[in-house]
Amino acid sequence: MHDRSQAPTVPLVPGLSVIIPVYRSAEGLPELVKRLEPALQALSRPFELVLVNDGSPDSSWQVIEKLATVHSWIRGITLMRNYGQHNAILAGIRTARYDITVTMDDDLQHPPDEIATLLAELTEGIDVVYGAPQEEQHGLLRDLASQFTKIVLQGSMGVGIARQVSAFRVFRTQLREAFANYQSPHVSIDVLLTWGTTRFAAVRVRHEVRKIGTSNYTVGKLVRHAFNMITGFSVLPLQIASFVGFSFTFFGVMVFLYVVGRYFIQGGSVAGFPFLASIITIFAGAQLFALGIMGEYLARIHFRTLERPVYTVRSTTSTPSQITGA
């Protein structure tokens, strides 16, 4: 069953939809729900919690089904396999039934009581609010990788707020209409949101230490995500390849002028095989670099023609009519 997502058909009503991707979090989900419920009730508006099981190998789905049975405000979606955090979030966004959407992690590093802080910033002139951590709670390498990802994201998003993005975000659900038909398997929720608005804001919130389990977002995954964003949502690598090609062409012309000038001035050519070999190696490297960049873009075009799904839903705790694009 492949997902063929069209424009959202779920009618939006005033309220709050909380979307949480779940992976290896069976142990912490009951505590997450326990802390979320009073925080959402305090907002005095209708709410729902959509837990998206991203092909978790543990018993997360069984826990989600149990929680959905006990709490009528909880809905569960389980995907056929692990597609990645952003793909899972997109699956949840497309099923949201309320006009405001909140996304957060499943590890309680995003305090539920801070949702009110984000909502307070979602004023008339703002469509997206990020909860930027007051202090990162990861290791040095993870923090450096996170900063690198945000630098890349800034280029892909084209907005200054990109350096403060976070998985803890609040936005108007209507924005999903801008990427309703998005089908590439490489997903960046933050970039997709820029397709619908340029009105972003960020507010500092607490970022608590993870108490259960370990983070599934490793340094390697962050770097791969950054690479996917820069090649999937911008032409910067192609521009860099063009610049490198132009630079080496200019360098080659200078070398040629040097060789010709030496011949006429000194009456002899530039001696030595090492010089010639070095020049050939430099130019060959530049050509391979440019070909590699172009090959990456061609590969993405190839994968788009294969129509690989963004995600595929295995089952839900809701009736089929409640799931958009399933």
Side-chain angles (χ1 to χ4, degrees), residues 99-110:
D99 63 337
I100 302 297
T101 295
V102 180
T103 67
M104 56 193 301
D105 289 342
D106 59 356
D107 54 12
L108 281 174
Q109 287 189 294
H110 300 149

Side-chain angles (χ1 to χ4, degrees), residues 28-58:
L29 285 176
E31 178 65 20
L32 174 63
V33 170
K34 182 179 178 181
R35 290 186 56 181
L36 260 176
E37 186 168 19
L40 295 175
Q41 288 176 339
L43 298 174
S44 300
R45 65 175 72 189
F47 60 85
E48 67 172 348
L49 171 62
V50 182
L51 297 171
V52 184
N53 178 44
D54 188 22
S56 184
D58 64 1

Side-chain angles (χ1 to χ4, degrees), residues 7 27 52 64 79 89 113 140 146 187 214 219-220 231 268 277 297 322 325:
E27 186 179 354
V52 184
I64 291 173
L79 306 183
I89 293 174
D113 57 280
L140 176 61
S146 179
V187 179
T214 58
V219 174
T231 55
Y297 277 87
Q322 293 175 314

